[in-house]
């Protein structure tokens, strides 16, 4: 067997020392298509988010335009953020990361390009469908049936490419990011089929239970594992420190696999489902602290002796802020699954504050760090502007904190008022106007961060292409 050594300067699993010289074998066309298209969708979805936030402050805003009503904008925002931006960029990063951890090029670049084209057609079809008001009316599962079928085809194509790359790998040891990448593929297949197809064969409470299983596990078994795959790869890479503990990462992986699938019913506490099912969901929600602490402790100890890099390293700023947001999100989740807390915060503004901290604060921060790391390397150039990268971080961090904290406090206040039968419902709406105004202001800050990020990435790509054209001209 080929002798394996640790390449400490790349912060990866033990692999052959030739790994750092294999970058030239990677075409990365698929990764480029997914990442760049997702960045464009990120900006578009940000505009939709501002329209929605403005409607809370000015309910009649664009209300006379049927295509821009709240009922059409919200599913467009949710699905655009989840599948147009976050899952697409995560897939692009996996197309970059997995071949490098396997020591070979992607199994089929052409197959990957076809998957990227299909995925973009799905997103464009979703935009048209939602703007026209065509959706199935289920949370996170609004896509029309034909687009659901297309998603399954695209996901199977993605899975085949990744699994075949892993099967043909050079390196016998599998780094934890590969485990999470493969887990994401399998769990997404199960979760998506349950939420978008199994619900067709059920009604009433059973249908609602399946839907909430899908909603919660869309975050827990789709975006969490692929987000952790990204964090486990890029934190050692960006800090130039090897991972603290592979064993601890495996504890986090298998405990996540065992625990998360049972937690969805905590969205239906105090609802028309069995008490035993509610109790099981609470128990497993609290058990989520195990995989969370395993991952967070691993990330923090990997950074031992490297915290000074946060002053200059934008990738690490995004990554470690994402780790903190991940910790906070996964502490909130178990706590608001407790019956006493849930009776106050359920269905209030606390929930979107919590969800946005997971999707935007944790997993989007991981993804943006990955993009800042990957784009200069696959285009063989430098980032367009370090200063703009820092601006994108601080705008998103400050705007995000304003958004999250305001909705937590406002949601808790809202829940207390709802639990007081002497307070008319309309009074709770009036009371939350200042909260929604801060939400809109924070949204503008976050959108500024998104625009700065997107401009920086696209300018880097355009600059690299222009530099390449100039070099070809000079050579000719």
């Amino acid at each position: 067997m080929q002798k394996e050594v640790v390449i400490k300067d790349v912060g990866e699993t033990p692999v052959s020392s030739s790994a750092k010289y294999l970058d030239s074998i990677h075409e990365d066309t698929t990764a480029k298509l997914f990442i760049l298209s997702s960045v464009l969708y990120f900006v578009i979805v940000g505009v939709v988010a501002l329209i929605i936030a403005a409607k809370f402050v000015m309910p009649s805003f664009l209300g006379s335009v049927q295509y821009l009503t709240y009922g059409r904008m919200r599913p467009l925002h949710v699905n655009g953020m989840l599948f147009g931006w976050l899952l697409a960029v995560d897939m692009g990063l996996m197309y970059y990361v997995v071949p490098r951890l396997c020591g070979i090029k992607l199994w089929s670049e052409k197959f990957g390009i076809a998957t990227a084209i299909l995925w973009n057609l799905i997103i464009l079809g979703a935009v048209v469908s939602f703007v026209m008001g065509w959706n199935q009316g289920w949370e996170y599962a609004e896509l029309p049936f034909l687009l659901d079928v297309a998603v399954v085809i695209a996901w199977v194509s993605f899975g085949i490419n990744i699994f075949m790359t892993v099967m043909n790998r050079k390196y016998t040891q599998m780094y934890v990011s590969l485990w999470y990448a493969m887990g994401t593929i399998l769990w997404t297949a199960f979760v998506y089929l349950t939420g978008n197809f199994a619900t067709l064969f059920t009604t009433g409470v059973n249908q609602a239970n399946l839907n909430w299983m899908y909603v919660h596990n869309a975050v827990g078994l789709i975006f969490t594992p692929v987000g952790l795959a990204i964090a486990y790869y890029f934190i050692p890479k960006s800090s130039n420190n090897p991972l603290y503990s592979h064993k601890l990462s495996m504890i986090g992986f298998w405990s996540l696999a065992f625990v998360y699938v049972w937690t969805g019913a905590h969205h239906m506490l105090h609802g028309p489902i069995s008490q035993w099912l509610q109790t099981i969901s609470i128990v497993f929600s609290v058990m989520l602290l195990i995989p969370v602490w395993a991952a967070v402790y691993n990330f923090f100890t990997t950074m031992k002796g490297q915290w000074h890099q946060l002053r200059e390293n934008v990738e690490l700023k995004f990554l470690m802020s994402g780790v903190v947001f991940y910790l906070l999100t996964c502490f909130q989740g178990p706590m608001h699954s407790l019956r006493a807390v849930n009776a106050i915060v359920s269905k209030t503004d606390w929930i979107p504050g919590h969800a946005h901290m997971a999707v935007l604060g944790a997993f989007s921060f991981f993804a943006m760090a990955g993009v800042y790391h990957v784009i200069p390397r696959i285009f063989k150039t430098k980032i367009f502007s370090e200063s703009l990268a820092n601006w994108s971080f601080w705008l998103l961090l400050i705007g995000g904190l304003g958004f999250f904290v305001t909705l937590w406090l406002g949601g808790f206040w809202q829940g207390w008022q709802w639990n007081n039968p002497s307070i008319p419902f309309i009074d709770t709406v009036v009371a939350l106007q200042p909260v929604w105004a801060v939400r809109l202001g924070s949204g503008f800050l976050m959108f500024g961060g998104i625009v700065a990020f997107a401009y920086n990435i696209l300018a880097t790509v355009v600059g690299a292409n222009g530099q390449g054209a100039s070099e070809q001209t000079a050579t000719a």
Side-chain angles (χ1 to χ4, degrees):
M1 187 174 72
Q2 183 181 359
K3 185 179 179 181
E4 295 183 335
V5 296
V6 178
I7 307 175
K8 299 230 175 186
D9 62 337
V10 295
E12 288 180 2
T13 183
V15 297
S16 67
S17 58
S18 61
K20 53 186 173 182
Y21 306 113
L22 292 176
D23 216 42
S24 60
I25 69 172
H26 303 294
E27 296 177 37
D28 292 320
T29 306
T30 305
K32 292 175 184 177
L33 288 173
F34 267 104
I35 292 172
L36 294 179
S37 61
S38 69
V39 169
L40 291 174
Y41 294 135
F42 199 15
V43 176
I44 295 169
V45 173
V47 174
V48 175
L50 285 178
I51 293 173
I52 293 172
K55 287 178 179 292
F56 277 86
V57 178
M58 301 168 285
S60 61
F61 179 64
L62 298 177
S64 60
V65 183
Q66 61 173 324
Y67 306 110
L68 300 177
T69 56
Y70 181 84
R72 300 190 186 189
M73 288 290 97
R74 186 181 184 276
L76 177 58
H77 167 62
V78 171
N79 287 269
M81 182 63 75
L82 294 182
F83 302 111
W85 151 245
L86 189 52
L87 190 55
V89 73
D90 287 343
M91 291 166 74
L93 291 171
M94 288 301 99
Y95 277 118
Y96 175 90
V97 167
V98 171
R100 284 162 173 81
L101 287 176
C102 294
I104 61 172
K105 65 180 182 179
L106 184 67
W107 179 67
S108 175
E109 199 72 49
K110 291 181 179 178
F111 198 26
I113 293 169
T115 305
I117 293 171
L118 176 57
W119 194 265
N120 278 278
L121 291 175
I122 291 167
I123 301 304
L124 295 174
V127 171
V128 173
S129 297
F130 293 142
V131 169
M132 295 301 295
W134 306 330
N135 82 71
Q136 299 193 74
W138 298 329
E139 185 80 0
Y140 286 21
E142 293 93 346
L143 284 179
F145 180 78
L146 290 178
L147 290 180
D148 281 334
V149 173
V151 169
V152 172
I153 295 171
W155 193 256
V156 170
S157 302
F158 170 67
I160 291 172
N161 221 345
I162 295 299
F163 272 103
M164 290 303 295
T165 304
V166 175
M167 285 179 62
N168 291 290
R169 70 189 185 277
K170 267 188 171 184
Y171 310 134
T172 54
Q173 183 172 345
M174 293 203 309
Y175 185 61
V176 61
S177 292
L178 291 179
W179 285 91
Y180 274 110
M182 293 188 293
T184 301
I185 292 167
L186 296 175
W187 296 331
T188 299
F190 164 68
V191 169
Y192 196 85
L193 290 173
T194 300
N196 292 272
F197 294 94
T199 47
L200 298 173
F201 304 100
T202 55
T203 57
V205 172
N206 290 331
Q207 188 182 69
N209 195 28
L210 284 177
N211 178 243
W212 281 110
M213 176 269 181
Y214 165 63
V215 169
H216 197 76
N217 287 299
V219 177
L221 290 178
I222 299 178
F223 297 109
T224 295
V226 73
L228 292 176
I230 292 167
Y232 270 115
Y233 183 84
F234 288 108
I235 289 175
K237 273 281 193 180
S238 297
S239 66
N240 203 27
N241 241 14
L243 181 68
Y244 169 72
S245 172
H246 183 74
K247 289 182 179 179
L248 189 59
S249 71
M250 287 292 96
I251 292 173
F253 174 81
W254 288 109
S255 56
L256 180 76
F258 175 70
V259 170
Y260 219 115
V261 72
W262 308 104
T263 60
H266 76 218
H267 286 273
M268 297 180 68
L269 296 183
H270 310 292
I273 62 171
S274 303
Q275 286 292 313
W276 65 264
L277 183 57
Q278 296 183 35
T279 300
I280 286 176
S281 71
I282 294 170
V283 171
F284 278 92
S285 295
V286 174
M287 288 174 66
L288 278 175
L289 294 172
I290 298 171
V292 171
W293 278 107
V296 170
Y297 182 79
N298 218 353
F299 294 147
F300 280 142
T301 45
T302 297
M303 282 293 294
K304 185 176 181 181
Q306 301 297 324
W307 290 102
H308 63 278
Q309 292 193 48
L310 290 176
R311 287 194 295 269
E312 305 293 337
N313 193 323
V314 175
E315 295 169 22
L316 281 179
K317 288 178 183 178
F318 273 107
L319 287 164
M320 299 317 296
S321 297
V323 171
V324 173
F325 283 134
Y326 176 61
L327 175 62
L328 290 173
T329 299
C330 295
F331 178 76
Q332 274 188 339
M335 294 305 103
H336 76 225
S337 72
L338 303 176
R339 284 188 173 91
V341 180
N342 189 271
I344 299 172
V345 302
S346 182
K347 315 303 182 292
T348 69
D349 280 13
W350 171 288
I351 302 303
H354 168 72
H356 278 76
M357 184 168 62
V359 174
L360 181 65
F363 304 130
S364 288
F365 270 39
F366 290 159
M368 293 170 78
V371 173
Y372 271 129
H373 182 95
V374 164
I375 287 296
R377 285 162 176 81
I378 60 179
F379 284 94
K380 297 178 175 57
T381 186
K382 293 182 178 180
I383 196 70
F384 172 72
S385 170
E386 289 286 347
S387 176
L388 197 57
N390 272 295
W391 271 104
S392 68
F393 169 75
W394 287 111
L395 286 169
L396 279 160
L397 181 67
I398 296 169
L401 286 172
F403 187 96
F404 310 147
V405 174
T406 300
L407 288 187
W408 298 337
L409 296 175
F412 205 83
W413 183 22
Q414 186 179 32
W416 273 114
Q417 291 185 325
W418 284 358
N419 279 273
N420 185 342
S422 66
I423 299 177
F425 177 79
I426 191 61
D427 287 0
T428 69
V429 175
V430 173
L432 284 174
Q433 286 297 310
V435 171
W436 294 333
V438 174
R439 170 183 178 164
L440 178 59
S442 300
F444 276 108
L445 289 176
M446 290 190 290
F447 183 67
I450 292 170
V451 171
F453 165 72
Y455 182 83
N456 210 0
I457 296 302
L458 297 177
T460 300
V461 173
V462 172
N465 290 335
Q467 181 182 357
S470 299
E471 290 175 354
Q472 288 180 0
T473 303
T475 303

